[in-house]
């Protein structure tokens, strides 16, 4: 469009120039007289007008190009503004979603689990045979070793003659004594661990209750992002402490299992040793009547 307009203006200007450049003819018939001065002024005026038309056509063409460039720029600006508006609206929507989740985070009930109340142990003590056991189990005493000794039968016959000439690893008496001592150690440790665990649960009950209240609270005061992160950190810390306590209890169970295995192993060893002794005695002491006196003397 711009090229066609420019061509039309140039053609029109060229026509005026050609008209101005034409050589004037003298009058062939009477009545018409040619004035060269006036004609020259007319030619100059026409030439100037043609130049002005050419310049005007050029300015119009340049203006059209400028207007076209501005129009394109305006279209691009409008498109960019539309894109920016979409991004802004998306940002507003995201912000509102996050804000509402933090301020109105009220779906915490899905986390709630039923926690069994920790019951205090109740132990019968008719004649003093379990003195201190109930207090020990409930974390109200630190005398696990004393309590364990009260509840168990003491070992008698501990004179030097009873233990004399006993070889470790080859003595029924020493293995039985080791079993008893191992049971004493493991059981005392477990009584202390159970008492400490129950005592800590009682001590930490207010803190745990406060934490649960904050966790399941649906008001805005405990539902900011920072507050939620703090609650998560505290919960992780308490879970770690609970895991440590559970580890101590599991260690006690493992010790008890080892002691129980001791008892079974000693019984199996005793069975094998008795069988071996029986075979040896039968080979050394025939059961027929001629040598029965010696058999009865060494009978097991």
């Amino acid at each position: 469009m711009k090229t066609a307009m420019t061509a039309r203006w140039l053609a029109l200007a060229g026509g005026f120039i050609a008209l101005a450049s034409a050589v004037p003819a003298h009058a062939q018939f009477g009545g018409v007289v040619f004035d060269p001065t006036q004609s020259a002024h007319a030619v100059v005026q026409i030439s100037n007008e043609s130049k002005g038309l050419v310049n005007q056509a050029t300015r119009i063409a340049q203006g059209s190009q400028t207007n076209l460039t501005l129009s394109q720029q305006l279209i691009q600006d409008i498109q960019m503004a539309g894109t920016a508006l979409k991004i802004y609206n998306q940002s507003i929507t995201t912000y509102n979603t996050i804000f509402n989740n933090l301020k109105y985070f009220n779906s915490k009930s899905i986390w709630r689990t039923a926690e069994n109340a920790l019951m205090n142990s109740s132990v019968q003590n008719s004649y003093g045979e379990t003195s201190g056991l109930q207090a020990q189990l409930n974390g109200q005493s630190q005398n696990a070793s004393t309590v364990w000794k009260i509840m168990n039968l003491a070992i008698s016959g501990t004179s030097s003659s009873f233990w004399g000439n006993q070889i470790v690893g080859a003595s029924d008496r020493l293995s039985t004594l080791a079993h008893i001592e191992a049971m004493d150690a493991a059981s005392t440790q477990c009584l202390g661990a159970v008492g400490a665990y129950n005592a800590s649960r009682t001590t930490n009950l207010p803190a745990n209750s406060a934490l649960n209240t904050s966790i399941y609270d649906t008001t805005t005061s405990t539902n900011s992002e920072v507050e939620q992160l703090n609650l998560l950190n505290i919960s992780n810390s308490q879970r770690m402490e609970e895991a440590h306590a559970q580890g101590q209890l599991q260690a006690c169970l493992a010790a008890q299992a080892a002691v129980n295995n001791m008892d079974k192993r000693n019984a199996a060893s005793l069975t094998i040793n008795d069988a071996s002794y029986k075979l040896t005695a039968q080979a050394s002491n025939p059961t027929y009547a001629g040598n029965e006196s010696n058999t009865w003397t060494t009978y097991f």
Side-chain angles (χ1 to χ4, degrees):
M1 178 177 180
K2 179 189 72 173
T3 305
M5 184 180 294
T6 304
R8 285 197 297 272
W9 281 103
L10 291 177
L12 180 60
F16 279 108
I17 294 173
L19 180 61
S21 302
V23 179
H26 295 282
Q28 299 297 322
F29 303 99
V32 180
V33 180
F34 176 73
D35 188 351
T37 302
Q38 186 177 1
S39 178
H41 286 295
V43 169
V44 173
Q45 185 176 358
I46 291 173
S47 177
N48 292 335
E49 290 294 334
S50 64
K51 291 179 181 179
L53 291 173
V54 172
N55 292 333
Q56 186 175 1
T58 302
R59 288 195 300 272
I60 292 174
Q62 292 176 351
S64 299
Q65 178 65 30
T66 302
N67 292 335
L68 180 61
T69 302
L70 292 175
S71 177
Q72 293 175 347
Q73 184 65 38
L74 180 59
I75 293 174
Q76 292 178 358
D77 291 342
I78 292 174
Q79 293 176 349
M80 292 176 62
T83 302
L85 181 60
K86 291 181 180 179
I87 295 175
Y88 171 77
N89 290 333
Q90 291 176 355
S91 300
I92 291 296
T93 301
T94 303
Y95 169 79
N96 290 334
T97 301
I98 296 174
F99 178 79
N100 290 330
N101 286 340
L102 294 177
K103 185 176 181 180
Y104 306 109
F105 192 72
N106 52 12
S107 60
K108 298 179 181 180
S109 59
I110 60 176
W111 295 344
R112 187 180 297 276
T113 57
E115 182 179 359
N116 294 327
L118 186 63
M119 299 181 63
N120 290 331
S121 298
S122 178
V123 181
Q124 184 69 30
N125 184 24
S126 301
Y127 303 100
E129 70 279 3
T130 57
S131 297
L133 179 59
Q134 179 172 321
Q136 179 63 45
L137 293 177
N138 293 327
Q140 301 168 355
S141 173
Q142 301 296 326
N143 297 318
S145 177
T146 302
V147 171
W148 178 255
K149 290 180 179 179
I150 291 174
M151 296 188 301
N152 290 276
L153 180 65
I155 300 175
S156 60
T158 56
S159 62
S160 58
S161 59
F162 181 82
W163 300 107
N165 300 324
Q166 300 296 311
I167 301 175
V168 176
S171 170
D172 297 338
R173 299 176 188 178
L174 292 180
S175 65
T176 303
L177 178 62
H179 183 208
I180 293 174
E181 292 173 341
M183 283 192 294
D184 290 343
S187 299
T188 300
Q189 178 187 6
C190 288
L191 283 178
V194 171
Y197 179 76
N198 290 337
S200 66
R201 286 292 300 270
T202 302
T203 302
N204 296 329
L205 183 59
N208 289 333
S209 299
L211 177 61
N212 287 334
T213 301
S214 297
I215 288 177
Y216 295 111
D217 180 48
T218 58
T219 62
T220 58
S221 60
T222 60
N223 286 279
S224 66
E225 185 176 3
V226 174
E227 184 69 19
Q228 288 294 304
L229 292 175
N230 287 335
L231 291 176
L232 290 175
N233 289 334
I234 294 172
S235 298
N236 290 334
S237 177
Q238 291 200 357
R239 280 195 293 269
M240 182 177 63
E241 295 299 328
E242 179 67 19
H244 289 167
Q246 292 294 333
Q248 293 180 351
L249 296 178
Q250 293 296 325
C252 289
L253 294 178
Q256 293 282 12
V259 171
N260 291 334
N261 288 337
M262 253 183 93
D263 186 23
K264 295 178 181 179
R265 185 190 180 282
N266 287 337
S269 298
L270 183 60
T271 300
I272 294 175
N273 292 339
D274 288 346
S276 176
Y277 180 80
K278 179 180 178 181
L279 293 176
T280 303
Q282 289 177 348
S284 302
N285 303 288
T287 57
Y288 54 86
N291 295 318
E292 65 181 3
S293 59
N294 190 32
T295 300
W296 286 112
T297 304
T298 59
Y299 181 76
F300 177 73

